[in-house]
Amino acid sequence: MKKKLSNNNGVKVSLTGGPVLNADMNKASQDDLAKAEKIGLPIALIVLLFAFGGVIAAVIPLIIGLISVVSAMGFLYLLGDQMNLSVFLLNVIPMIGLALGIDFALLLINRFREELKEKTVEESVIIAVSTAGKSIAFSGLCVFLGLSAMLLIQVDIFKTVAIGGMGVVILSVLASLTFLPALLSLLGKHINKLTILKPSNKQSVWKTFAIFVMKRPVMMTIATVILLAIGAYQVKDITLTIPAEDSLPKSYESRTSFEIFESHFLKDKKDPVIFVLDTSSPILEAKTLEKVEELSQSLKKEKMVKDVTSIFSLTKTKDTNELTAMLQNPSYQQALQPVLKQLTTKNKMILYVYLHQDASSKKAQEFAKKWNKPYKGIHITVGGEAKFNQEIFDEIDQKVPYGLLFVFVSTYFILFIAFRSVLIPLKAIAMNVLSLSCTFGILVWLFQGGHFGIEATTIALIIPILVFGIVFGLSMDYEVFLISRIQEIYHDTNDNDYATLEGLTSTSKIITSAALIMIVVTGAFAFTGIIPVKQIGLGISLSILIDATIVRMILVPSLMKLLGKWNWWTPFKKRTQK
């Protein structure tokens, strides 16, 4: 428990350390959540008012989003009794829940209102659920699978974020496909009450732009890919680290106190690599000490090693013979007891190895991995921050390829089932990978480069994996909604170009509104204090922005035009193509 200490007799007292930093991280997360909600929700309501024109229709998505978040928080409360939860869940769950809940409700309400113009309330609900509801179900499944891939990584922070994220996705889909249709059935035509903005009858800007793009598909595709590749280029310089005390804002005393502690008391020797030596014979036997001495000397010869703290250095003995003589001399035994208790047990001993490299560096991790093996009959277990980082990064390096393969393959089959097309799923996955790579490149430029007033820092290890898991599925939301509408028109007309143009025109306003809400809700977290949360919010909002503009406005119509009838080709069912 954190306790406030006052100054006494001119002595300034401040607290830091693990428990205090964790308490401040929790407080900062709660403050950030409140701040993000104050920014995001009012702007989201304004966007919804412009999208629907009516107060009732605009408020309902917010209600669905809040229901999803509150339900997910209750789920996490129960889960907290079973496992330790990451503090980042306090921000990630509301971010995902609000964004998904609002977006899903927006899509369903929009289709319901369209059908309500010519059909009964019951028919409108049925059609909305069978069309927009299908998009919601497939999109939710894509997000769920994207997050579930993190379960392959056996690291607590990834597992808890994955479980929490998967939970809020399920609850968002359920609220959108059960509670929302029931609510729309009750409201009926009252959904259009309290209209304050009349819909515009002007030709869609998207239609005009889509016509322009589809007349120059090759040039537009090449230009767009080059632009995204330029953004993605910075990814090569990405530096991933595990969040530490510098994740907190500088205004928190626990962070500044820890930095003072490091600079004044751990300036030359911080974050040692800890060697736990285990032998079959007593550790203080002469033969065993000779091996320990050889190991200590070998370590000192490593270029990376600054110093080695061992039983020899603390007892100020030159070699095994001198130390053995002291251990056998009764007059020295009492004086040696503090050192022996600090470093040894019956058959174990500790060495502290200090490096020239920071514990978070790649070289320090390689050093820890290199020495984690037996040495002349001595079993060595390496610990410390460098080893901790090495094991986490190795786990990620080993499991991420399998996670990506799982997401790509499962997403492909989901989209294939949805559209009965071989190329559309491939195109969607490729566009997502390209836009996400561009997003990560921009994050590197912003945070590692310290641009736009952002404190220069590394990218939190969880960011690429979490942003990928969330955004890869979310962008499929818009892809499924758009392609579903194009597919409907194509089946009626058998004209790919006309279907693409009309599909873009009819869905442009609602997709733009949905993307804008997603950008607002997640982007609000970019104004928070905790660095990883800021990076998550900015990463998701940037990715959605790129997807809703460059990808959706240029790449989609260009590729749909270039591929023509091949968009809808499948070896399992013949269609008459124009």
Side-chain angles (χ1 to χ4, degrees), residues 246-260:
D246 57 356
S247 297
L248 277 169
K250 290 184 176 180
S251 58
Y252 279 82
E253 186 179 72
S254 58
R255 173 183 170 174
T256 56
S257 298
F258 189 84
E259 289 174 344
I260 293 170

Side-chain angles (χ1 to χ4, degrees), residues 1-3 14-32 86-88 90-91 242-262 266 271 385 529-532:
M1 181 182 292
K2 186 175 178 181
K3 182 179 178 181
S14 58
L15 293 176
T16 189
V20 183
L21 289 166
N22 288 336
D24 280 346
M25 195 73 76
N26 276 298
K27 183 179 183 303
S29 296
Q30 294 170 15
D31 293 344
D32 284 352
S86 169
V87 67
F88 296 119
L90 292 175
N91 301 107
I242 298 170
E245 73 284 343
D246 57 356
S247 297
L248 277 169
K250 290 184 176 180
S251 58
Y252 279 82
E253 186 179 72
S254 58
R255 173 183 170 174
T256 56
S257 298
F258 189 84
E259 289 174 344
I260 293 170
F261 171 70
E262 274 194 319
L266 299 176
D271 302 327
E385 186 178 346
I530 298 179
I531 299 300

Side-chain angles (χ1 to χ4, degrees), residues 302-474:
E302 291 271 359
K303 291 182 179 180
M304 284 187 58
V305 175
K306 181 189 295 185
D307 191 20
V308 177
T309 297
S310 67
I311 192 171
F312 297 99
S313 63
L314 292 184
T315 57
K316 297 181 180 179
T317 51
K318 296 179 181 179
D319 53 32
T320 300
N321 292 332
E322 186 176 349
L323 177 58
T324 302
M326 289 182 67
L327 290 171
Q328 294 173 349
N329 190 330
S331 60
Y332 285 108
Q333 287 179 0
Q334 187 66 29
L336 291 175
Q337 284 306 307
V339 175
L340 297 180
K341 287 182 178 180
Q342 179 184 349
L343 297 181
T344 69
T345 62
K346 291 181 178 180
N347 62 336
K348 290 183 174 61
M349 181 181 290
I350 293 177
L351 300 182
Y352 295 97
V353 182
Y354 297 90
L355 306 179
H356 292 288
Q357 296 285 335
D358 189 85
S360 62
S361 69
K362 191 71 175 176
K363 290 184 177 180
Q365 293 172 34
E366 291 172 352
F367 175 87
K369 187 175 183 178
K370 170 186 174 182
W371 282 95
N372 196 57
K373 60 183 181 181
Y375 180 87
K376 296 187 175 181
I378 299 175
H379 182 270
I380 299 176
T381 302
V382 178
E385 186 178 346
K387 182 61 178 175
F388 175 75
N389 292 344
Q390 174 255 310
E391 289 181 338
I392 288 182
F393 276 92
D394 280 1
E395 175 70 13
I396 291 172
D397 289 343
Q398 291 169 12
K399 300 296 176 60
V400 162
Y402 296 104
L404 290 175
L405 181 63
F406 170 75
V407 172
F408 292 154
V409 172
S410 59
T411 299
Y412 180 88
F413 280 107
I414 289 169
L415 295 181
F416 179 81
I417 293 170
F419 301 119
R420 297 294 178 182
S421 166
V422 171
L423 292 180
I424 284 178
L426 287 175
K427 182 179 55 155
I429 292 171
M431 287 191 296
N432 269 10
V433 170
L434 191 56
S435 62
L436 278 166
S437 299
C438 181
T439 298
F440 294 142
I442 295 173
L443 285 180
V444 170
W445 182 80
L446 284 173
F447 286 93
Q448 291 185 200
H451 294 95
F452 292 107
I454 296 175
E455 178 187 358
T457 183
T458 54
I459 305 297
L461 178 63
I462 193 174
I463 303 304
I465 298 172
L466 183 59
V467 171
F468 175 88
I470 296 172
V471 172
F472 195 86
L474 286 179

